[in-house]
Amino acid sequence: MKALIVDDERLARAELKRLLAVFPDVEVVGEAANAAEARERLQALAPDLLFLDIEMPGGTGFDLLASLDEAPAVVFTTAYDAHAVRAFEVNALDYLLKPIDPRRLAAAVEKVSAAHRARAPAPGAGAGSGSYLERVFVRDGERCFFVWLRDVPLLESEGNYTLLHLGSHRPMLGRSLSYLEERLDPRHFFRASRRHIVNLQCIEGIEPGPGSQLVVRVRGGLEVEMSRRQSQRFKELMSP
Amino acid sequence: MYWACQLAGWLPYAALNSVYAVGVLHGGAPAVVFCLWLSAVGLALSHALRNQIRARGWAGLPLLGLAPRLLATGAVLGLLCNAIVTLPPLLLGYESSRRVTASGLVLYSVNLAIVFTAWQLIYFGVKFMQRSRRAELEHWQLEAAARAADLRALKAQLNPHFLFNSLNNVRALIAEDPQRAQAMVTRLANLLRYSLASATAETVPLQQELEIVGDYLELEGARLEERLRVRMDVAPECLPLPVPVMLVQSLVENGIKHGIARLPRGGQIEISARLDGPAMRLEVSNTHGPEADRVSDRPAGSGTGLANAAERLRLLFGEQASLQLDRSARELTTARVRIPTHR
């Protein structure tokens, strides 16, 4: 696994690098001292794992993640921040307290490794290297967490933002619907209309609507009316 | 509780008297009635006395002031009680006037005076016990509150974020630069010791405070590296002057926490001290980002910290001492402290 260390303190980065040296399947491919550098390194190196310090000048770790397209696996680090730690626990995010206990680090690395192995390996492609968008990091008021897009039945346009319909809550993603359409796997996501993208794996029923339009019902009970053109395309796609 | 005591006193008194009257003096039912009547009068008079004690606040008097009042009241009430108790039976014919003698009256008055004096002694005794129990309770409550405040202050001073980051950096330095790591451990120990000692000391010479500030800045320097620049401009004659313990340290800490650490490119801390007439002028300034120039963007909690520091200054050095925050310059905050050199 390729790892990127993001921390504004050089000594903290050096210390984590030293600790990670004992893990044969973790290779530290780069470092960043702030959010801007991190963004650039993420783009260039496409790491699988991100060690992210929360307290950084000019933008916290959460801000950085929310601004990314694809969110790689993240382990947060902090010296002491009661608020951040509460956020980590509430959202079941992985975190480590500095000075990092090597045993805790081992547990975190193992967890990420396991998840990494379990995912269908895309040969030669890591996160953010051009493969389809699978996981995003969203902020929902005080909460922030990762969302697997395959679990989102419906995406709705809100100007330059997109609402993810997740049943009880609807977090907002800082990307337009059209932008997402280009990054999502067309085998699983279908642009139903100007306002909606439907997750084909979450469809529960399709009924004919007014005119030749189709009305799709997705998991969670939401109903979406397809535009005439898209209804046509849908029928074409579904016909054998 | 007062009424319980009254009844617990006067009823047995009546009973005792009855026993004596019937058993020794061989009186009959009238004797018992007399005893009850006596207790009733005693109760009424002592109740009136209690109201007077309360109204005049005798319970707060020292022993020397209380004693004459106590004795005088006892005597007066003894006479009064005697009069009230003895006359009606005389007038009503229950008691033959032959049996009443002057010496008998005097003796009986003295007897009753003793009873009323005893009553007062019990009353004031109980009051005294109540007061001292209350005072002790208040004392322990104050102690507990003081300990809790101490603990809070200590927790606030220890700054866990700084502590854990420093420990992490020291650990990193052990491999990279062992001698520097050793120096860092020494500085950290000095800082912690000073923090703990600051709970008891009130003022320290500026020189001692600046030594600790120096240690702190070295530790932060390891963390922030080139992002922290320090400038010190302290006049030598200011060094022995007393300053409130941890004042400069907390000003510098705030400056770094809210100003410099938030800037990606870092900033500068400047500490200066000079004599200005009858006072010392101490200034701690730090650069910060433009967003902190907005008055509404004050970091939470720094208001009360500053208010506390200003209050401490005034308590230690009088009304002429002051602490002010100057944010008029762009991207620069200066804390100005004025400490008179003699009260």
Side-chain angles (χ1 to χ4, degrees):
Chain A
M1 281 193 298
K2 297 190 287 177
L4 177 71
I5 299 178
V6 182
D7 194 315
D8 61 311
E9 298 178 25
R10 182 189 66 82
L11 280 173
R13 295 197 301 266
E15 183 64 4
L16 185 50
K17 221 162 52 176
R18 184 180 69 83
L19 289 173
L20 285 171
V22 304
F23 296 101
D25 34 274
V26 176
E27 185 204 344
V28 177
V29 296
E31 298 175 26
N34 53 56
E37 277 181 33
R39 238 173 255 127
E40 186 250 303
R41 299 278 150 73
L42 278 161
Q43 188 94 316
L45 301 164
D48 308 300
L49 172 56
L50 191 61
F51 287 98
L52 189 53
D53 181 31
I54 286 300
E55 304 93 19
M56 285 196 295
T60 69
F62 291 136
D63 295 330
L64 169 65
L65 281 181
S67 72
L68 295 176
D69 267 358
E70 179 84 54
V74 178
V75 176
F76 296 96
T77 63
T78 177
Y80 178 92
D81 186 330
H83 298 295
V85 171
R86 249 199 309 280
F88 297 150
E89 314 235 282
V90 162
N91 300 304
L93 301 169
D94 296 316
Y95 69 99
L96 293 167
L97 294 171
K98 296 191 274 190
I100 294 174
D101 186 332
R103 291 167 297 185
R104 300 254 166 99
L105 180 61
V109 167
E110 178 51 39
K111 193 167 162 195
V112 174
S113 286
H116 186 73
R117 284 191 293 270
R119 287 169 61 185
S129 70
S131 60
Y132 298 122
L133 204 58
E134 289 182 352
R135 194 169 75 139
V136 290
F137 188 77
V138 293
R139 305 185 82 150
D140 186 18
E142 280 285 299
R143 304 189 59 208
C144 41
F145 45 94
F146 289 105
V147 174
W148 285 104
L149 288 169
R150 61 169 182 254
D151 295 330
V152 182
L154 185 66
L155 293 88
E156 184 175 339
S157 168
E158 276 282 325
N160 283 334
Y161 294 82
T162 302
L163 277 176
L164 305 177
H165 284 264
L166 281 174
S168 50
H169 37 262
R170 302 182 309 167
M172 194 110 70
L173 200 58
R175 297 282 184 276
S176 71
L177 198 69
S178 307
Y179 182 89
L180 287 173
E181 190 188 358
E182 281 167 41
R183 300 294 315 279
L184 289 169
D185 190 345
R187 292 169 299 173
H188 298 141
F189 293 92
F190 184 77
R191 182 80 180 258
S193 65
R194 247 204 358 238
R195 285 195 65 206
H196 291 110
I197 289 179
V198 162
N199 185 344
L200 297 171
Q201 294 169 305
C202 298
I203 291 183
E204 287 184 345
I206 306 174
E207 273 140 36
S212 53
Q213 284 170 289
L214 295 170
V215 172
V216 172
R217 194 176 65 251
V218 292
R219 188 174 67 208
L222 297 161
E223 285 187 357
V224 161
E225 192 178 283
M226 283 198 200
S227 67
R228 220 180 309 247
R229 185 156 46 142
Q230 292 302 95
S231 299
Q232 186 65 24
R233 270 202 63 205
F234 190 77
K235 288 176 197 165
E236 281 166 23
L237 278 169
M238 293 297 125
S239 59
Chain B
M1 183 173 112
Y2 164 74
W3 283 112
C5 287
Q6 284 281 51
L7 291 174
W10 291 112
L11 283 177
Y13 182 65
L16 262 165
N17 281 334
S18 304
V19 165
Y20 181 69
V22 171
V24 176
L25 298 177
H26 303 294
V32 176
V33 169
F34 175 78
C35 294
L36 284 171
W37 166 238
L38 172 64
S39 274
V41 171
L43 185 80
L45 282 176
S46 59
H47 184 65
L49 172 62
R50 182 241 201 178
N51 289 340
Q52 277 300 299
I53 290 175
R54 279 175 140 196
R56 288 165 199 262
W58 282 5
L61 287 173
L63 201 57
L64 217 54
L66 193 55
R69 285 179 173 80
L70 198 138
L71 292 169
T73 317
V76 166
L77 281 179
L79 270 169
L80 196 58
C81 190
N82 194 2
I84 297 174
V85 159
T86 320
L87 280 178
L90 262 179
L91 295 172
L92 290 171
Y94 278 113
E95 190 66 46
S96 89
S97 51
R98 280 182 294 116
R99 293 250 301 256
V100 175
T101 60
S103 58
L105 278 173
V106 170
L107 275 173
Y108 201 50
S109 294
V110 171
N111 180 333
L112 290 175
I114 292 174
V115 170
F116 280 105
T117 306
W119 188 97
Q120 285 181 89
L121 284 174
I122 295 175
Y123 182 81
F124 287 114
V126 169
K127 278 278 169 252
F128 177 74
M129 266 178 28
Q130 277 181 340
R131 275 173 156 234
S132 64
R133 256 223 316 268
R134 224 192 342 258
E136 203 176 337
L137 188 68
E138 267 176 28
H139 169 76
W140 288 119
Q141 279 174 341
L142 276 172
E143 274 283 314
R147 293 294 132 252
D150 275 347
L151 200 63
R152 268 198 305 272
L154 207 61
K155 278 173 109 169
Q157 273 165 11
L158 284 181
N159 193 346
H161 188 257
F162 165 73
L163 189 61
F164 290 117
N165 267 324
S166 296
L167 284 173
N168 196 36
N169 292 339
V170 164
R171 200 171 77 171
L173 278 175
I174 291 175
E176 185 178 300
D177 187 345
Q179 281 180 323
R180 195 158 165 230
Q182 286 165 344
M184 289 300 168
V185 171
T186 311
R187 290 188 219 277
L188 200 54
N190 288 345
L191 199 58
L192 285 174
R193 197 167 292 125
Y194 194 75
S195 283
L196 289 170
S198 71
T200 47
E202 292 278 16
T203 64
V204 292
L206 181 61
Q207 179 161 20
Q208 199 178 348
E209 178 87 1
L210 287 179
E211 273 169 21
I212 286 301
V213 170
D215 280 342
Y216 172 75
L217 286 170
E218 279 291 328
L219 287 163
E220 286 285 42
R223 186 163 81 88
L224 300 167
E225 294 188 317
E226 70 285 348
R227 287 196 284 143
L228 176 65
R229 296 175 281 283
V230 177
R231 205 171 151 251
M232 292 260 245
D233 182 16
V234 175
E237 55 268 18
C238 290
L239 289 173
L241 296 175
V243 293
V245 64
M246 290 293 271
L247 177 66
V248 182
Q249 167 62 22
S250 51
L251 288 173
V252 169
E253 246 184 83
N254 273 338
I256 292 184
K257 191 158 74 166
H258 299 305
I260 293 172
R262 297 212 175 147
L263 290 173
R265 65 183 184 281
Q268 170 158 295
I269 281 257
E270 197 169 315
I271 304 170
S272 69
R274 59 188 165 86
L275 281 178
D276 182 16
M280 168 170 62
R281 285 199 183 280
L282 192 64
E283 286 181 8
V284 175
S285 70
N286 67 278
T287 54
H288 52 71
E291 67 284 348
D293 277 336
R294 290 196 300 271
V295 181
S296 61
D297 205 5
R298 258 280 215 108
S302 64
T304 39
L306 279 174
N308 282 343
E311 183 64 29
R312 231 179 8 130
L313 258 180
R314 265 194 296 277
L315 281 173
L316 287 167
F317 294 101
E319 285 303 312
Q320 290 295 311
S322 66
L323 163 61
Q324 274 160 355
L325 213 56
D326 179 0
R327 314 183 77 195
S328 56
R330 231 167 52 99
E331 298 192 6
L332 183 76
T333 297
T334 306
R336 297 187 206 278
V337 180
R338 186 177 185 277
I339 298 178
T341 44
H342 36 258
R343 305 192 63 167

